């Protein structure tokens, strides 16, 4: 991925929610990443790690607490209202729940045509209708479905309608927030396959948020792993699975059962103890230390920096500091 | 314990249908399987394939009056269950078979303490004293990895996280010392690291108690980890059944093969993904022939009209597909050229 200007660049992005006067939930804390045009960036993590909040904050559905968002080299904060309105035409979102994200009282035509009406991209209602028909075909639905309501469709079909809506304005950038987690396995494959095809055809850039590491692997070029509001590791999709550096990524990968009985029987898992700590009162220093099998003294005192350990491979862990090299070697052996 | 036969549960030719506004749905259409002592059978399939309905029928929990077993037999330790009165059935099932549901959030009553929910079953079914039940419940909590049992017993479900709630549900399922546990997607609602913990716990429990399990899931990774035998369901029927290795390495049914191709594995490079096109048939009007034939790349003329008979690949590996019929030899070659 050698590009000049990243399509999206976020630096030290923060989103805090105030629970009450004394308590603050740090859903996204100091996340920095950039996405090149045409790239698919996957964000993975368990529930509560802040991955959806990250997507929604980038989209502008939440106001960020701090940090910068640059789109196409331009700082979003410095845009005027008109520029922002246009920005939203190029940036679209696909939501997780295909049951909740479509208005049950609107027809398919109304649902998919609405963004085009708001942004006045078509001259007439007739042109809009034609465009909707064309979109339906692109996502693999029958063009005669125009006047049907969402309840007449299955989950996979509804998600296709959601995708058609996201494509209605010919966006450059799509944020897909767990678009397949509510679907059946075989339907998941259909939808991911469709997204990848559309991406190749239209040259879309995509932020793909998921908790399931296998489909993310198929669709993403690079992947970032989040834990408790922090980005803990970031590298190419291939590298993440071949050579995970952060202990959390290693545990996460090792927790996934592999559909192959012989391998499954021989595998040694790293089973993490306990559960995700509360993001309202996160652990000091490294947020993962309470569950980390390699925890050291320094982990409680100092927050590890997000450093480039190998080329293009970032990780936030004290184990990667030079003096701990021997530990890294040890870890790699274990991972094998 | 079952001495007369090593089969704990035998289900034969089970048919279940539901009355709905749209008419009658034939959700389970002739399912047959058995479970031996200490064994884990995984039932896999997409939503709507009838895997949950099958387990509800075995538990005697079909919603009344709409859900009904219309044919077939369910024998538990040699006793026919379908002809028993509901009361007698509950007596047998309540003690011997437990169920673990998908969503630990809704499986627990939010207004009752963990303690009263844990002990309710055993007090009712086994007629033990409250004190004994209390002791037993704490023992069970310990077994599922929840320390500090005495205090936990007084807490309410909202005070626990998702993974801990599922542990409590498992403790509830274990307290009557059942012979069979039916787990319906027990880890689907959980995160992967918590799922790994819970699957490990199942292993541990089975080693310790020798309980048999039916694991209903759509995750083939979970199947590979937990199952001894696997039944693949499609549109209300078991289309292929065999040992775990039969299914993963020697799958014969095109649907099983397609399922295995439609997943991405984290341990090998993911370059290809072959989704299964189309959708399962409508069970309001089940097809005459094979239910998979519309989506099957190998479909033949006969598949559209006649339901495929069961062919045995070997003693334990059964497949419902015309491709395995003896008379299909010539046709199969023709298909392979395509």
């Amino acid at each position: 991925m050698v590009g000049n200007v990243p399509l999206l660049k976020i630096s030290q992005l923060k989103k805090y929610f105030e629970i009450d006067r004394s308590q603050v939930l740090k859903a996204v804390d100091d996340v920095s990443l950039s996405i090149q045009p045409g790239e698919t960036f996957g964000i993975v993590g368990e529930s509560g790690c802040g991955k959806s909040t990250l997507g929604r904050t980038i989209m502008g559905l939440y106001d960020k607490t701090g940090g910068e968002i640059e789109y196409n080299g331009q700082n979003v904060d410095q845009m005027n209202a008109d520029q922002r309105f246009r920005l939203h035409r190029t940036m679209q979102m696909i939501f997780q729940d295909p049951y909740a994200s479509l208005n049950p009282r609107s027809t398919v035509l109304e649902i998919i045509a609405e963004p085009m009406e708001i942004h006045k991209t078509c001259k007439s209602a007739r042109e809009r209708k034609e465009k909707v028909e064309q979109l339906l075909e692109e996502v693999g639905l029958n063009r005669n479905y125009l006047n049907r309501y969402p309840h007449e469709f299955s989950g996979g079909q509804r998600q296709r309608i959601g995708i058609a809506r996201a494509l209605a304005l010919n966006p450059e950038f799509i944020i897909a927030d767990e678009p397949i987690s509510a679907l059946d396995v075989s339907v998941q494959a259909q939808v991911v396959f469709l997204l990848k095809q559309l991406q190749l055809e239209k040259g879309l850039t995509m932020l793909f948020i998921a908790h399931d590491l296998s489909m993310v692997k198929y669709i993403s070029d690079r992947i970032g792993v989040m834990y408790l509001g922090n980005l803990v590791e970031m590298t190419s999709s291939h590298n993440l699975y071949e050579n995970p550096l952060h202990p959390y990524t290693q545990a996460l990968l090792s927790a996934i059962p592999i559909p192959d009985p012989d391998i499954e029987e021989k595998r040694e898992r790293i089973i993490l103890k306990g559960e995700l700590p509360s993001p309202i009162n996160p652990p000091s220093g490294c947020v993962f230390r309470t569950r980390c099998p390699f925890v050291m003294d320094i982990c409680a005192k100092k927050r590890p920096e997000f450093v480039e350990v190998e080329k293009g491979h970032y990780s936030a862990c004290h184990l990667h500091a030079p003096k701990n090299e021997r530990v890294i070697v040890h870890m790699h052996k274990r991972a094998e | 314990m079952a001495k007369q036969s090593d089969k704990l549960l035998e289900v034969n030719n089970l048919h279940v249908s539901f009355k709905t506004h749209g008419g009658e749905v034939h959700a389970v259409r002739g399912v047959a399987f058995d479970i031996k002592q200490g064994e884990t059978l995984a039932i896999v399939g997409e939503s709507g394939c009838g895997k949950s309905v099958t387990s509800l029928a075995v538990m005697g929990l079909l919603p009344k009056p709409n859900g009904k077993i219309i044919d077939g037999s369910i024998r538990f330790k040699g006793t026919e269950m379908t002809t028993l009165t509901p009361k007698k059935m509950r007596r047998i099932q309540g003690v011997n078979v437990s169920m673990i549901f998908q969503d630990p959030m809704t499986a627990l009553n939010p207004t009752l303490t963990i303690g009263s929910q844990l002990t309710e079953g055993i007090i009712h079914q086994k007629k033990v004293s409250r004190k004994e039940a209390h002791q037993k419940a704490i023992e069970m909590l310990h077994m599922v990895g929840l320390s500090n049992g005495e205090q936990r017993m007084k807490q309410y479900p909202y005070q626990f996280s998702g993974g801990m709630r599922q542990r409590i549900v498992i403790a509830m399922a274990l307290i009557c010392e059942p012979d069979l546990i039916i787990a319906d997607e027990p880890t689907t609602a959980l995160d992967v690291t918590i799922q790994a913990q819970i699957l490990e716990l199942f292993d541990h429990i089975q080693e310790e108690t020798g309980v048999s399990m039916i694991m209903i899931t759509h995750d083939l990774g979970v199947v590979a980890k937990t199952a001894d035998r696997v039944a693949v369901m499609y549109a209300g029927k078991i289309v292929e059944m065999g040992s775990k290795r039969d299914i993963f390495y020697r799958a014969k049914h095109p649907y099983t093969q397609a399922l295995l191709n439609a997943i991405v594995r984290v341990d090998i490079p993911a370059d290809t993904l072959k989704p299964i096109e189309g959708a399962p048939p409508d069970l309001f009007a089940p097809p005459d022939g094979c239910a998979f034939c519309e989506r099957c790349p190998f479909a033949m003329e006969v598949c559209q009209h006649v339901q495929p008979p069961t062919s045995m690949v070997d003693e334990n590996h059964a497949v419902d597909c015309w491709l395995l019929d003896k008379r299909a030899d010539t046709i199969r070659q023709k298909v392979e050229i395509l």
Side-chain angles (χ1 to χ4, degrees):
Chain A
M1 284 307 127
V2 216
N4 309 326
V5 185
L7 187 69
L8 178 85
K9 187 177 175 202
I10 59 173
S11 357
Q12 262 113 47
L13 190 71
K14 294 181 186 65
K15 174 64 200 172
Y16 299 167
F17 293 98
E18 270 178 42
I19 307 290
D20 53 42
R21 282 223 181 115
S22 59
Q23 286 181 311
V24 173
L25 189 154
K26 298 181 175 178
V28 174
D29 204 10
D30 272 342
V31 170
S32 305
L33 56 90
S34 55
I35 304 177
Q36 299 295 332
E39 186 183 31
T40 300
F41 192 95
I43 293 270
V44 292
E46 295 176 89
S47 25
C49 73
K51 55 191 191 300
S52 288
T53 307
L54 176 68
R56 287 170 161 259
T57 311
I58 293 172
M59 191 69 206
L61 293 176
Y62 291 144
D63 289 327
K64 60 184 163 52
T65 311
E68 313 259 280
I69 301 175
E70 270 176 45
Y71 191 82
N72 238 335
Q74 203 184 1
N75 194 324
V76 175
D77 289 334
Q78 286 154 8
M79 289 183 180
N80 59 33
D82 194 37
Q83 281 171 317
R84 272 209 192 189
F85 184 68
R86 260 181 289 152
L87 171 71
H88 286 140
R89 192 191 295 178
T90 59
M91 218 165 154
Q92 288 290 317
M93 192 148 179
I94 300 167
F95 295 91
Q96 174 173 5
D97 187 347
Y99 293 85
S101 62
L102 304 178
N103 185 343
R105 301 210 282 182
S106 301
T107 62
V108 170
L109 174 66
E110 286 162 352
I111 289 168
I112 302 177
E114 193 178 358
M116 295 191 269
E117 273 171 52
I118 293 168
H119 286 268
K120 299 190 180 65
T121 55
C122 293
K123 285 191 200 79
S124 61
R126 188 153 165 203
E127 196 187 319
R128 266 202 300 276
K129 194 177 157 206
E130 271 166 26
K131 174 86 184 170
V132 171
E133 285 176 338
Q134 187 198 328
L135 283 164
L136 281 175
E137 277 190 351
E138 273 179 35
V139 298
L141 292 173
N142 193 317
R143 56 161 67 209
N144 300 323
Y145 288 169
L146 282 180
N147 296 315
R148 295 201 185 180
Y149 289 88
H151 74 89
E152 297 176 69
F153 296 94
S154 67
Q157 286 176 318
R158 285 182 209 213
Q159 202 54 296
R160 287 173 196 263
I161 297 171
I163 293 170
R165 173 176 61 186
L167 294 174
L169 295 170
N170 297 320
E172 300 175 310
F173 183 57
I174 294 227
I175 297 179
D177 184 8
E178 304 219 33
I180 54 168
S181 60
L183 306 174
D184 248 318
V185 210
S186 70
V187 184
Q188 284 188 356
Q190 289 178 0
V191 171
V192 169
F193 194 72
L194 171 71
L195 280 173
K196 185 142 182 172
Q197 296 233 296
L198 288 170
Q199 194 216 358
L200 291 175
E201 270 167 38
K202 296 176 184 285
L204 295 171
T205 308
M206 194 148 57
L207 181 70
F208 190 92
I209 300 167
H211 69 267
D212 170 0
L213 277 96
S214 45
M215 284 297 173
V216 178
K217 178 186 180 183
Y218 172 74
I219 200 165
S220 310
D221 300 308
R222 282 192 303 145
I223 296 179
V225 181
M226 279 185 81
Y227 186 82
L228 218 63
N230 289 250
L231 201 58
V232 296
E233 182 159 5
M234 178 168 78
T235 180
S236 74
S237 160
H238 177 76
N239 212 5
L240 187 82
Y241 292 87
E242 288 295 304
N243 183 24
L245 290 178
H246 197 283
Y248 177 61
T249 316
Q250 291 174 352
L252 202 58
L253 286 171
S254 126
I256 303 168
I258 290 173
D260 188 328
D262 285 343
I263 292 178
E264 197 51 50
E265 268 168 28
K266 279 184 222 129
R267 260 173 116 203
E268 273 189 47
R269 306 209 121 78
I270 312 169
I271 301 259
L272 289 181
K273 296 272 181 303
E275 309 195 10
L276 205 69
S278 159
I280 296 171
N281 199 357
S284 64
C286 172
V287 284
F288 183 57
R289 71 177 164 86
T290 51
R291 298 171 81 193
C292 183
F294 308 105
V295 64
M296 302 176 290
D297 289 342
I298 186 172
C299 302
K301 290 174 200 139
K302 197 173 155 233
R303 182 166 158 172
E305 275 175 52
F306 197 56
V307 290
E308 190 165 12
V309 183
E310 301 161 4
K311 195 177 180 310
H313 193 159
Y314 297 79
S315 171
C317 179
H318 287 303
L319 288 170
H320 307 324
K323 63 179 171 192
N324 291 313
E325 236 158 64
R326 277 154 80 204
V327 189
I328 300 183
V329 174
H330 173 69
M331 274 168 57
H332 281 198
K333 279 203 182 121
R334 256 194 84 158
E336 277 160 24
Chain B
M1 294 289 120
K3 270 174 196 150
Q4 61 278 49
S5 141
D6 62 340
K7 286 179 182 151
L8 187 65
L9 176 77
E10 288 168 273
V11 175
N12 264 311
N13 191 34
L14 183 70
H15 287 259
V16 180
S17 82
F18 286 91
K19 279 205 188 76
T20 69
H21 293 301
E24 198 155 300
V25 186
H26 204 157
V28 174
R29 308 184 297 146
V31 160
F33 62 87
D34 55 57
I35 289 165
K36 297 183 195 72
Q37 199 77 51
E39 176 183 58
T40 301
L41 173 77
I43 303 182
V44 287
E46 296 168 68
S47 22
C49 74
K51 53 191 197 300
S52 293
V53 174
T54 303
S55 67
L56 289 177
V58 171
M59 284 296 288
L61 288 177
L62 287 172
K64 284 181 183 117
N66 293 334
K68 235 169 127 184
I69 296 176
I70 47 176
D71 198 6
S73 87
I74 299 169
R75 295 173 80 84
F76 188 77
K77 287 185 178 176
T79 316
E80 178 60 47
M81 307 299 296
T82 49
T83 51
L84 290 181
T85 61
K87 205 173 170 185
K88 269 203 171 137
M89 184 152 175
R90 265 206 303 281
R91 179 110 304 162
I92 299 181
Q93 304 295 64
V95 183
N96 294 305
V97 191
S98 294
M99 188 144 183
I100 296 168
F101 294 93
Q102 172 172 351
D103 191 351
M105 197 78 135
T106 48
L108 294 169
N109 185 333
T111 65
L112 295 176
T113 61
I114 297 306
S116 64
Q117 297 189 58
L118 272 169
T119 51
E120 187 187 352
I122 191 167
I123 290 171
H124 191 74
Q125 298 284 5
K126 288 211 164 167
K127 309 275 177 250
V128 300
S129 72
R130 256 167 213 290
K131 209 170 163 192
E132 266 175 83
H134 187 86
Q135 215 43 51
K136 185 88 189 162
I138 290 174
E139 225 173 87
M140 286 300 131
L141 285 176
H142 183 74
M143 183 159 180
V144 298
L146 290 175
S147 55
N148 228 342
E150 201 65 58
Q151 205 185 344
R152 303 279 193 209
M153 295 283 281
K154 291 181 206 132
Q155 293 181 316
Y156 289 88
Y158 77 91
Q159 291 167 300
F160 295 88
S161 66
M164 280 157 102
R165 277 193 208 123
Q166 196 62 304
R167 285 175 193 268
I168 292 164
V169 172
I170 294 169
M172 267 166 78
L174 286 172
I175 197 161
C176 284
E177 297 175 343
D179 297 315
L180 175 66
I181 293 179
I182 301 178
D184 189 354
E185 306 259 7
T187 57
T188 307
L190 307 174
D191 274 314
V192 274
T193 59
I194 309 300
Q195 165 173 293
Q197 292 173 358
I198 297 290
L199 293 180
E200 208 70 13
L201 175 63
F202 279 138
D203 265 3
H204 169 72
I205 287 167
Q206 232 169 352
E207 249 168 55
E208 204 119 299
T209 63
V211 67
S212 306
M213 275 186 83
I214 299 181
M215 177 72 84
I216 296 169
T217 178
H218 65 263
D219 185 334
L220 289 165
V222 173
V223 175
K225 164 109 180 74
T226 58
D228 299 308
R229 284 193 303 139
V230 184
V232 181
M233 277 191 82
Y234 187 78
K237 284 178 169 241
I238 294 178
V239 295
E240 182 160 11
M241 181 148 69
S243 74
K244 173 162 68 177
R245 288 190 164 69
D246 285 337
I247 300 296
F248 281 95
Y249 301 135
R250 297 180 287 275
K252 289 280 190 271
H253 199 286
Y255 177 64
T256 314
Q257 294 168 350
L259 263 189
L260 289 164
N261 281 330
I263 46 176
V264 179
R265 285 173 55 165
V266 292
D267 60 328
I268 46 176
D271 303 321
T272 52
L273 176 65
K274 288 191 208 131
I276 314 172
E277 297 300 331
D282 187 356
L283 289 181
F284 281 110
D288 293 335
C290 170
F292 187 60
C293 87
E294 263 186 45
R295 304 168 82 183
C296 180
F298 307 110
M300 302 174 287
E301 177 82 32
V302 62
C303 305
Q304 286 171 27
H305 306 295
V306 191
Q307 294 202 5
T310 303
S311 311
M312 301 301 291
V313 180
D314 59 48
E315 206 184 323
N316 298 313
H317 187 182
V319 184
D320 281 22
C321 178
W322 278 114
L323 290 172
L324 276 100
D325 191 88
K326 281 195 187 74
R327 287 161 289 179
D329 274 352
T330 48
I331 302 163
R332 191 162 12 151
Q333 279 166 8
K334 215 163 129 194
V335 167
E336 275 168 10
I337 296 162
L338 287 172

